Amino acid sequence: MTDTARARKLADRIQVVVAETLQRRIKDPRLGYVTITDARVTGDLREATVFYTVYGDEAERQASAVALESAKGILRSEVGKQTGVRFTPTLTFVADALPDNAKNIDDLLDRARLSDAAVRTAAAGATYAGDADPYKSPAERDADEDE
């Protein structure tokens, strides 16, 4: 029987504890501008997945990933101290794909804007293929019926 509310509360607390510990206690020079974006805990409260983003290029991301793996023991012990659960969950760090997805969406929106602008410029000087109003007015229908 799993208590999802308890797992959510523990995940929120783990996110805060890990972020604060990284900011105050971990002094690894490989650790770049790391932001803890989310944490998720399994239903049995045994494993926690911590999602993070790193501001910088690919080399800084990889260096930060190595630094997080080396600081995993300190972070887990701090989580155990501050959460007070019987079994401290094992921590797994996963690079969050959110910034990459957001960049991809921005690129797609820019391409759509350019396409819309091209259609708008093509339609600026265009005229109707037939009459401006292709529908018959009531007066025209009466005239056609009389004939």
Side-chain angles (χ1 to χ4, degrees):
M1 187 127 347
T2 61
D3 185 8
T4 57
R6 184 172 182 209
R8 251 181 294 141
K9 286 179 189 176
L10 181 61
D12 290 342
R13 185 68 187 138
I14 288 173
Q15 180 179 353
V16 170
V17 169
V18 169
E20 287 177 351
T21 305
L22 284 174
Q23 184 180 15
R24 295 189 180 131
R25 199 164 157 208
I26 307 296
K27 302 297 180 200
D28 194 337
R30 297 174 293 180
L31 202 58
Y33 292 108
V34 176
T35 303
I36 304 299
T37 56
D38 193 16
R40 295 186 186 148
V41 178
T42 58
D44 61 356
L45 308 179
R46 296 283 178 155
E47 297 175 13
T49 305
V50 180
F51 295 92
Y52 68 94
T53 59
V54 178
Y55 181 75
D57 60 355
E58 189 61 33
E60 290 176 351
R61 288 183 190 136
Q62 291 197 356
S64 294
V66 170
L68 285 172
E69 285 299 317
S70 68
K72 189 184 287 190
I74 295 170
L75 294 170
R76 185 173 181 224
S77 65
E78 194 64 31
V79 166
K81 287 178 193 172
Q82 292 192 24
T83 56
V85 292
R86 180 183 296 173
F87 180 82
T88 303
T90 58
L91 299 177
T92 306
F93 291 97
V94 176
D96 200 353
L98 185 68
D100 297 332
N101 291 342
K103 184 179 178 340
N104 187 24
I105 290 172
D106 285 342
D107 292 343
L108 291 172
L109 287 174
D110 288 340
R111 214 165 48 187
R113 269 189 221 101
L114 291 174
S115 175
D116 287 349
V119 169
R120 199 174 306 116
T121 57
T127 59
Y128 292 108
D131 294 333
D133 186 14
Y135 302 104
K136 292 185 177 184
S137 65
E140 290 174 353
R141 271 191 251 137
D142 291 341
D144 287 344
E145 291 174 3
D146 290 341
E147 292 177 4

